[in-house]
Amino acid sequence: MSLPLLKNFPAIVNLVSPKSCQSSFVRQMHTTRLSSEKRETNPSAESKNPDDDSAKQVRVFVRKKRATKTVQAIVEATKPEILDQKPCSLPEIEDFAYGKQSSFSCSKVQPPANWEKVIEGIRKMRSSEAAPVDSMGCEKAGVSLPPKERRFAVLISSLLSSQTKDQVTHGAIQRLLQNDLLSAEAINKADEGAIKELIHPVGFYSRKASNMKKVAKICLDKYDGDIPSSLEELLELPGIGPKMAHLVMNVGWNNVQGICVDTHVHRICNRLGWVSRQGTKQRTSTPEQTRESLQLWLPKEEWVPINPLLVGFGQTVCTPLRPRCGICKISDYCPSAFKETPSPSSTPKKKRAFIE
DNA sequence: GTCCCGGGGA
DNA sequence: TCCCCAGGAC
């Protein structure tokens, strides 16, 4: 049998050396290939057809499901393509193999209707009304610093910025900088109480001061004072979850591994009907599910801009409670428009985000 | 699910 | 006055 996609499989593996690769998915592919090559030199090897062999490798790989939690989605997204023998484009696979891209686009997932008009409409609304997200962000952290220090500043800024106004985060970063407390060495040596005072009134400052000490020690011990350069390693840091890990990869390393999904992106994508739980039409229940679902169809060039776009839109128009559908220019395209409970007093028991 | 912490809106 | 909000840990 002839399998168009599987011809590319050895190419992927050849592009990537397991040492340099951050993804255990690709490392596993590599291992699978090596063990199959050994079998090929063995006279008792059952197959001489390279396509058959590739097919077997991929099937074995998919069946093993050795992927870590962060690449689980890739396996799931890739599986129907491989097993149905549908070709992917080679550039996309190469991007994946090099780690520039964390999934293939799956040809079975059709983008939602009118998504480009929706994005364009939101851009227009956003340009006419300033939103808090526009003022400051962690991407501004330490712009004047050398690369390693800048990356560390980005990491700390992300750590501090959750549940905190950007101005407050920025102030805390400035105070840390003025006190020479924005490097792994300095924070590792510093007194936790002093850090606590400096970062106050950042939200959850007490927990964050403790996390900063732990993160600084890990960065010093394992990364020579730099920050981890892969998603998996960033996620091991205390206080860094999926949202911040993607942000740090984008801003710190300029390496887009995935969409940075926060509560605004999560809420708005569901209101628009842009995402769904795998194999269903139900809305997603966590930002992680939203990220995986959105990445299946949203073109890569939108992965970074989608976050500030929807966060600003969510702060000013598509608010969690009482979204302002009356002034929203894309309500014609929104299946949830005007379906929100009109006032909280009419349904005092539970908040209903929207009606299906 | 609950907690963390404080700002801010109803 | 109450209670909602936000990202992560557990």
Side-chain angles (χ1 to χ4, degrees), chain A residues 119 123 259-260 265 269 274 294 298 301-311:
Chain A
I119 288 209
R123 277 209 182 100
I259 300 169
C260 184
V265 176
C269 286
W274 277 8
L294 195 57
L298 188 71
E301 56 271 22
E302 302 290 348
W303 284 18
V304 173
I306 194 80
N307 178 273
L309 186 74
L310 294 192
V311 172

Side-chain angles (χ1 to χ4, degrees), chain A residues 284-304:
Chain A
T284 59
S285 53
T286 65
E288 269 300 89
Q289 285 176 6
T290 299
R291 185 181 61 75
E292 288 166 5
S293 178
L294 195 57
Q295 286 178 185
L296 291 180
W297 65 266
L298 188 71
K300 193 89 188 300
E301 56 271 22
E302 302 290 348
W303 284 18
V304 173

Side-chain angles (χ1 to χ4, degrees), chain A residues 115-174:
Chain A
W115 71 269
E116 284 157 305
K117 287 180 190 163
V118 168
I119 288 209
E120 194 43 46
I122 297 175
R123 277 209 182 100
K124 284 199 181 118
M125 282 184 269
R126 295 278 284 102
S127 57
S128 58
E129 188 173 0
V133 72
D134 294 329
S135 56
M136 259 169 281
C138 88
E139 69 275 8
K140 303 266 169 62
V143 276
S144 56
L145 269 39
K148 187 165 143 182
E149 284 72 18
R150 198 199 107 254
R151 284 193 291 272
F152 194 79
V154 167
L155 179 67
I156 295 300
S157 179
S158 304
L159 198 69
L160 297 183
S161 69
S162 63
Q163 304 93 262
T164 304
K165 291 264 181 291
D166 284 332
Q167 287 89 335
V168 176
T169 309
H170 189 249
I173 290 288
Q174 288 306 307

Side-chain angles (χ1 to χ4, degrees), chain A residues 70-71 73-74 77-78 92-93 95-96 99-106 109 111-112 115 119 123 231 242-243 245-251 254-262 265-266 269 274-275 288-311:
Chain A
T70 49
V71 290
I74 302 167
T78 315
E92 277 200 304
I93 296 171
D95 265 2
F96 166 69
K100 288 183 199 162
Q101 172 164 330
S102 64
S103 68
F104 305 134
S105 69
C106 177
V109 179
W115 71 269
I119 288 209
R123 277 209 182 100
L231 217 82
K243 195 232 159 184
H246 281 101
L247 188 69
V248 172
M249 284 306 286
N250 293 355
V251 178
N254 213 10
N255 178 349
V256 181
Q257 290 281 309
I259 300 169
C260 184
V261 175
D262 59 22
V265 176
H266 176 57
C269 286
W274 277 8
V275 291
E288 269 300 89
Q289 285 176 6
T290 299
R291 185 181 61 75
E292 288 166 5
S293 178
L294 195 57
Q295 286 178 185
L296 291 180
W297 65 266
L298 188 71
K300 193 89 188 300
E301 56 271 22
E302 302 290 348
W303 284 18
V304 173
I306 194 80
N307 178 273
L309 186 74
L310 294 192
V311 172

